[in-house]
Amino acid sequence: MDKVLIVASSDKLVLSLSELVLEAGQFTITTATSGSLARRLVLEEEWDTVVVNHPLKDDDAERFVQMVSEHSDATPILLVKSEYLQMVSRSLADTPTLFVEKPLIKQIFFQAMHLASSMKRRMENLKKQNAKLEAQIEDLKYINRAKICLIINQHISEEEAHHRLEKLAMDNRISKREAAKAILRMFSD
């Protein structure tokens, strides 16, 4: 279930936005009626979506949304009056902010909520893929260093070094990375 932070200047607005978010789908909701509380919540917890009603009483909503973009993986949704929409959207053009014009139209708000959820899931998948690729690159670094050690110290070809590394990994039922680390330890003494 997506975690949603709702930030608005009054209890009445927070309540109506909470009802709207719950109507949009299954979300866990936390609310804040002050910018300082909202900032602390963003820095202390992970959020999927942060819904911000522009303007905020005690904070600059645009700077707050900028902070959300820089310090969290949450997708901000900024609710803004039509007369300010163009100006605000220009100032936040480099952020992944979704803008919803006020007065709110339920269907458009629901679409923004679902798009924010989609964006968050896609971002998480991309991060997982990135972490997997980084691990593979790390593996290749160890493997290549180990092969170079074998080539230099044992005076063998690259193919033979590759074969020995694979054989060590298979014989000991360990990953190629672990085999490479074992070879590097052997030649570092």
Side-chain angles (χ1 to χ4, degrees):
M1 196 176 310
D2 285 4
K3 284 180 62 178
V4 177
L5 174 62
I6 298 174
V7 184
S9 294
S10 72
D11 290 332
K12 184 180 174 184
L13 272 171
V14 162
L15 181 62
S16 64
L17 287 173
S18 296
E19 289 170 356
L20 201 55
V21 167
L22 287 174
E23 203 177 321
Q26 301 238 347
F27 301 101
T28 302
I29 298 172
T30 301
T31 62
T33 55
S34 74
S36 57
L37 172 60
R39 284 177 185 277
R40 193 171 72 245
L41 288 169
V42 167
L43 295 173
E44 291 175 357
E45 295 183 46
E46 284 294 316
W47 301 97
D48 296 305
T49 306
V50 177
V51 177
V52 181
N53 187 62
H54 181 279
L56 295 174
K57 235 186 325 195
D58 67 330
D59 202 345
D60 182 342
E62 293 169 56
R63 279 204 317 256
F64 173 71
V65 167
Q66 184 73 41
M67 187 276 297
V68 169
S69 298
E70 291 172 0
H71 297 287
S72 79
D73 292 333
T75 301
I77 297 177
L78 186 61
L79 312 176
V80 62
K81 287 184 179 178
S82 57
E83 61 257 29
Y84 303 116
L85 183 61
Q86 193 172 20
M87 177 186 69
V88 171
S89 64
R90 260 191 255 123
S91 75
L92 294 169
D94 294 334
T95 68
T97 305
L98 298 173
F99 300 94
V100 178
E101 191 174 342
K102 294 191 297 186
L104 294 180
I105 299 171
K106 273 187 182 183
Q107 285 308 104
I108 292 174
F109 181 75
F110 294 166
Q111 287 173 354
M113 288 297 298
H114 292 292
L115 183 57
S117 293
S118 243
M119 288 170 62
K120 177 69 175 175
R121 282 191 298 281
R122 185 158 173 88
M123 184 62 71
E124 286 171 354
N125 287 336
L126 289 173
K127 282 185 173 192
K128 286 177 187 173
Q129 288 175 357
N130 189 43
K132 187 177 177 181
L133 290 172
E134 285 177 0
Q136 288 174 340
I137 289 169
E138 255 330 278
D139 289 350
L140 287 173
K141 286 178 184 178
Y142 282 109
I143 291 167
N144 287 334
R145 281 190 221 136
K147 287 196 297 188
I148 290 170
C149 280
L150 287 171
I151 292 167
I152 292 171
N153 292 302
Q154 305 241 315
H155 307 289
I156 58 175
S157 69
E158 183 181 355
E159 289 174 20
E160 180 61 25
H162 183 77
H163 175 71
R164 286 189 188 178
L165 182 77
E166 282 186 331
K167 185 168 176 15
L168 179 65
M170 275 193 294
D171 290 349
N172 293 295
R173 293 186 178 137
I174 58 176
S175 68
K176 287 184 188 178
R177 180 180 183 158
E178 291 304 312
K181 283 182 175 181
I183 291 169
L184 290 169
R185 279 192 301 273
M186 186 172 66
F187 288 109
S188 69
D189 295 333

